[in-house]
């Protein structure tokens, strides 16, 4: 995908994020802030990922379907021809 997506609204950090960040361990004071951002962004990211995946799978399916149908038709023709040949050989003494 080459589309650049710009957020419609500025990211808002929940008011509880600074308090959570302050209570986090001193080794990772920004961990709570990161977690809050992830929780905020995750639903939108999931929706975009699902849409992109649907689009990709549909494109692959559309490209693959004609070949699958062609192979299926060839198989049915071969089976029909084999059945006719077999039936004719059974009738002939």
């Amino acid at each position: 995908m080459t589309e650049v997506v710009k957020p419609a609204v500025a990211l808002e950090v929940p008011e509880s994020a600074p308090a959570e960040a302050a209570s986090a361990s001193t080794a990772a004071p920004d961990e709570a802030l990161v977690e809050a951002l992830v929780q905020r962004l995750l639903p939108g990211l999931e929706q975009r990922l699902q849409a992109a995946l649907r689009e990709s799978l549909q494109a692959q399916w559309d490209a693959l379907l004609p070949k699958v149908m062609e192979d299926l038709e060839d198989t049915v023709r071969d089976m029909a021809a084999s059945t006719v040949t077999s039936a004719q050989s059974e009738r002939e003494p």
Side-chain angles (χ1 to χ4, degrees):
M1 292 177 48
T2 59
E3 179 182 343
V4 176
V5 179
K6 295 180 182 178
V9 295
L11 293 177
E12 295 177 17
V13 178
E15 291 181 20
S16 62
E20 292 171 3
S23 67
S25 70
T26 58
D30 295 329
E31 188 174 321
L33 179 60
V34 170
E35 180 64 26
L37 287 172
V38 167
Q39 292 303 318
R40 172 121 174 127
L41 297 175
L42 196 57
L45 291 173
E46 279 188 43
Q47 289 176 346
R48 288 182 184 190
L49 178 60
Q50 287 176 359
L53 185 58
R54 263 193 308 272
E55 185 177 313
S56 177
L57 289 173
Q58 186 64 50
Q60 290 178 17
W61 175 253
D62 291 345
L64 185 62
L65 186 59
K67 176 66 175 143
V68 169
M69 293 304 293
E70 182 181 322
D71 290 349
L72 181 60
E73 289 174 12
D74 289 345
T75 300
V76 170
R77 280 191 195 97
D78 290 347
M79 291 176 67
S82 176
T83 301
V84 168
T85 302
S86 180
Q88 286 177 345
S89 66
E90 287 177 5
R91 280 192 268 161
E92 295 176 359

